[in-house]
Amino acid sequence: MKDSNCIFCKIANGEIPSATLFEDEKVRVILDISPASKGHALILPKEHYANLYEIDDETAKHVIITAKRQATKMRDALGVEGINIVQNNGEIAGQTVFHYHMHIVPRYKDDNVNIKWEPGELSEEKKAELIKKLSL
Ligand code: 5GP
Ligand code: ZN
């Protein structure tokens, strides 16, 4: 399904032009318009899924396989020193476009990209509680 009000549906399906690195029947890979670093790319499914909870398993598999291919190309062609894969879900997590997408962020020495957090602590009590609550 497509959402006629969704900019990423339009970009993914070619209604709005984009700097495309790859396209097939399921996804389009584009350069981010406001890149965190040189080569920052986004993988957009052509179907509309708002987030990770909604995306179907086949498309999710295809996205990560595409990420692997694109990251390998970045390593080989740009000589990047590392890659972060980022995928935000929900406003609180930094999602601003509510069409599932995966960021591929190439990393370079002293690039000032900030993907960090303060390490917390996991008590024995919390650990037991979380294993109980979160086990699949
Ligand atoms: P989010 O914050 O939702 O995880 O990421 C949205 C990303 O989409 C941002 O990095 C932003 O720069 C990028 N973006 C937003 N609008 C456009 C657009 O029209 N074209 C492209 N290429 N990227 C966009
Ligand atoms: Zn969409």
Side-chain angles (χ1 to χ4, degrees):
M1 231 178 65
K2 275 74 175 171
D3 178 337
S4 58
N5 293 315
C6 171
I7 186 167
F8 277 9
C9 278
K10 294 193 172 88
I11 292 174
N13 292 283
E15 289 167 47
I16 296 178
S18 60
T20 294
L21 304 178
F22 175 75
E23 181 189 6
D24 65 12
E25 72 290 349
K26 277 193 184 308
V27 298
R28 181 184 295 267
V29 183
I30 63 170
L31 291 176
D32 196 292
I33 204 167
S34 308
S37 65
K38 186 173 82 175
H40 180 176
L42 303 172
I43 305 179
L44 316 180
K46 290 191 171 179
E47 294 294 316
H48 182 85
Y49 310 100
N51 50 43
L52 182 67
Y53 310 115
E54 289 190 5
I55 193 169
D56 73 89
D57 288 0
E58 276 313 305
T59 307
K61 276 188 221 172
H62 194 68
V63 167
I64 195 68
I65 291 165
T66 305
K68 179 183 172 184
R69 289 186 59 207
Q70 191 63 66
T72 304
K73 181 76 182 188
M74 287 165 174
R75 183 194 63 187
D76 296 346
L78 292 180
V80 307
E81 294 174 41
I83 301 261
N84 289 112
I85 297 292
V86 178
Q87 199 276 302
N88 299 325
N89 297 280
E91 209 172 331
I92 195 155
Q95 187 175 13
T96 58
V97 180
F98 294 88
H99 173 124
Y100 175 99
H101 53 279
M102 183 175 279
H103 297 258
I104 312 174
V105 184
R107 300 300 305 273
Y108 308 90
K109 194 171 183 311
D110 300 325
D111 61 13
N112 282 323
V113 176
N114 241 325
I115 306 177
K116 279 195 188 149
W117 53 84
E118 287 296 318
E121 277 176 23
L122 183 61
S123 65
E124 287 304 314
E125 193 189 358
K126 258 294 173 244
K127 194 195 298 183
E129 179 199 330
L130 290 172
I131 289 172
K132 205 166 153 191
K133 283 189 176 160
L134 298 182
S135 292
L136 297 174

